[in-house]
Amino acid sequence: MTTSATGPAGLRLLPFPGLRYVPERVGSLAAVTSPPYDVVVRPDGVDYLESADPHNIVRLILPQADTPAARNEQAARTLRDWREKGVLSADSEPALYVYEQRKGPMVQRGLIGALALSAAEAGVVLPHEDVMPHVVTDRAGLMRATSANLEPLLLTYRGGDAGAGAAEVVERTALGAPLLATTTEDGVRHRLWAVTDPADQEAVAADLGRRQALIADGHHRWATYLRLQEEHPSPTDWDFGLVLLVDTARYPLEVRAIHRMLRRLAPADALAALEGSFRVRPVEGPLPLALEALADAAERGNAFLLAGDGSFHLVTDPDAKLLERTVRRDRPEAWRRLDATVLHATLLDAVWRIPDTPDQITYIHDAAATVEMAERHGGTAVLLHPVREEVVRGLARQGVMMPRKSTSFGPKPATGLVLRSLG
């Protein structure tokens, strides 16, 4: 971490008056929460969440209307209405928020706050994936219309002494009575505490001011923050963005793969095109068993699992000359060997000739949902094995971007527990 003459060039996390649901005005806190917007992929998922409670947060993060402008105006109108009717209310004083997720042996704690924005070149917040411009445009329109950060990004950092600084504040705060506690239908228990003591806030600031963060989940929203910051001359609230910071020295995250569903490529055609370029062999189902075969193969090199016609095929051992011809050479070897790199540069671009556009490729976090969607649409599911966190962090520190949607870190924060109003 570099320092300047004026002090450490690290993370600057500020307290803010959180905008939160008033429990008495909703059915339950669990019923108004949602996964992050990009995890709620299918329309039936949106419909299900909307029916869970008339005030479910999905009505703000994924408003349903015929045009982007209409969707954004609808979200803005809904947010104004909920605030006027007391469904959402701002806390009386600025706070940092300790957020805990717990399920069985899994416990994760972190700090929610307003993080000062910085470009990747500053080396303070490190992105590791490319973004899709149309998604940034979509999210920017929504944030612009609502003047709000509706859901926190997930960022990770490596902390220091567990008995000092931010770690000590987090652990001590979590011993007290929470602001809220709820259990969502996936069995995860969520708790939130407010850190309002100036001394605690200063201890967090001094500690995080020496740290560097990796974007674990939320690259498109971070890019959106930066775009909107450019639109608003500083200093303004738009110089900061809502984040959850998790110390992975204490609470390691799980890294999962994000899968692809090729909407217009039938499995038979996908397999036929691979002849002579990859080794293809059928593997036995059901899906969990096939994923085990994928994991075993991924230990030895590039490996993909294809599905969509009721069977599973393992794709491995790409032709070396094909890789040399299709994968760019001006990147570190760790990047050139990534499954996502080979998938996009070699399979999608060179072999299948499929453009990376929403009408051609759908990105899905859940393997079973990817297979089910492929079978329903007559498309091809391409399932990947997750990359290790140390590979992600190593490439990010070199300033090397992975292909878009290469990783899914978790557990992800629930959307709807705390929002941030701007302006």
Side-chain angles (χ1 to χ4, degrees):
M1 194 72 252
T2 59
T3 59
S4 68
T6 58
L11 301 168
R12 186 177 172 219
L13 190 71
L14 297 189
F16 69 100
L19 186 62
R20 299 189 295 110
Y21 281 99
V22 177
E24 296 78 14
R25 301 304 303 272
V26 297
S28 72
L29 289 175
V32 295
T33 63
S34 163
Y37 80 97
D38 57 341
V39 179
V40 187
V41 177
R42 302 186 304 188
D44 57 342
V46 177
D47 294 342
Y48 175 77
L49 290 167
E50 285 188 339
S51 65
D53 189 283
H55 302 110
N56 189 282
I57 193 68
V58 77
R59 295 180 184 271
L60 298 182
I61 63 172
L62 288 172
Q64 300 299 295
D66 293 335
T67 67
R71 289 195 294 269
N72 296 335
E73 176 52 36
Q74 178 173 301
R77 186 169 55 250
T78 300
L79 180 56
R80 288 194 300 269
D81 182 60
W82 288 358
R83 295 193 70 171
E84 290 171 0
K85 293 180 177 177
V87 175
L88 289 168
S89 178
D91 287 336
S92 59
E93 57 183 322
L96 298 174
Y97 295 89
V98 172
Y99 174 49
E100 177 190 272
Q101 293 163 279
R102 182 186 293 268
K103 182 178 182 180
M106 185 281 293
V107 179
Q108 177 177 287
R109 291 180 183 142
L111 279 165
I112 293 177
L115 185 67
L117 306 181
S118 60
E121 304 80 63
V124 178
V125 176
L126 303 176
H128 69 267
E129 288 183 358
D130 287 329
V131 298
M132 293 175 273
H134 75 277
V135 177
V136 177
T137 297
D138 175 76
R139 291 294 100 184
L142 182 64
M143 286 190 206
R144 198 182 291 116
T146 57
S147 291
N149 297 154
L150 300 173
E151 47 187 335
L153 283 63
L154 175 60
L155 274 62
T156 75
Y157 73 100
R158 305 290 291 179
D161 183 0
E168 190 277 332
V169 172
V170 167
E171 300 308 315
R172 174 166 45 81
T173 300
L175 295 175
L179 285 176
L180 65 85
T182 189
T183 301
T184 45
E185 66 174 17
D186 57 3
V188 177
R189 180 169 174 78
H190 307 263
R191 297 198 293 173
L192 192 76
W193 297 261
V195 178
T196 57
D197 185 274
D200 286 343
Q201 294 177 356
E202 289 173 8
V204 169
D207 186 4
L208 295 182
R210 300 179 290 114
R211 309 295 177 194
Q212 177 188 62
L214 174 74
I215 300 177
D217 185 70
H219 282 82
H220 289 91
R221 282 166 286 163
W222 182 258
T224 301
Y225 288 169
L226 294 175
R227 177 182 293 187
L228 294 174
Q229 182 188 34
E230 291 180 356
E231 297 178 6
H232 296 80
S234 296
T236 69
D237 285 349
W238 298 92
D239 292 326
F240 300 83
L242 184 64
V243 305
L244 166 64
L245 275 171
V246 174
D247 178 1
T248 52
R250 294 184 57 75
Y251 300 105
L253 270 64
E254 181 180 2
V255 187
R256 298 178 180 176
I258 300 177
H259 312 290
R260 278 72 168 156
M261 199 284 280
L262 312 183
R263 305 183 69 89
R264 302 182 182 179
L265 182 67
D269 295 332
L271 294 169
L274 297 176
E275 186 175 349
S277 300
F278 287 79
R279 181 190 178 199
V280 181
R281 60 185 176 91
V283 293
E284 292 186 4
L287 179 59
L289 189 62
L291 288 173
E292 289 182 11
L294 174 63
D296 290 341
E299 294 293 327
R300 299 184 293 275
N302 296 122
F304 311 92
L305 186 67
L306 268 57
D309 60 356
S311 62
F312 299 98
H313 287 82
L314 193 61
V315 177
T316 60
D317 302 292
D319 178 74
K321 292 182 179 179
L322 177 63
L323 291 183
E324 191 66 20
R325 188 174 75 250
T326 56
V327 178
R328 58 189 299 176
R329 303 176 188 178
D330 61 341
R331 290 290 186 273
E333 190 62 21
W335 182 91
R336 300 184 81 245
R337 293 197 306 265
L338 289 171
D339 287 337
T341 297
V342 174
L343 171 59
H344 283 265
T346 306
L347 283 169
L348 292 174
D349 290 352
V351 176
W352 291 327
R353 300 185 182 279
I354 296 176
D356 191 359
T357 56
D359 63 313
Q360 295 279 353
I361 303 175
T362 299
Y363 292 82
I364 307 174
H365 291 72
D366 182 75
T370 309
V371 174
E372 189 273 334
M373 184 179 288
E375 292 177 344
R376 190 169 73 245
H377 290 280
T380 297
V382 183
L383 308 183
L384 289 81
H385 188 67
V387 64
R388 299 190 310 277
E389 181 182 356
E390 55 266 29
V391 174
V392 177
R393 193 176 295 274
L395 288 172
R397 284 176 172 159
Q398 297 177 65
V400 177
M401 297 294 103
M402 297 171 66
R404 62 193 65 174
K405 298 294 184 181
S406 292
T407 62
S408 175
F409 282 80
K412 303 179 190 301
T415 298
L417 296 181
V418 59
L419 291 66
R420 175 175 174 258
S421 181
L422 296 97

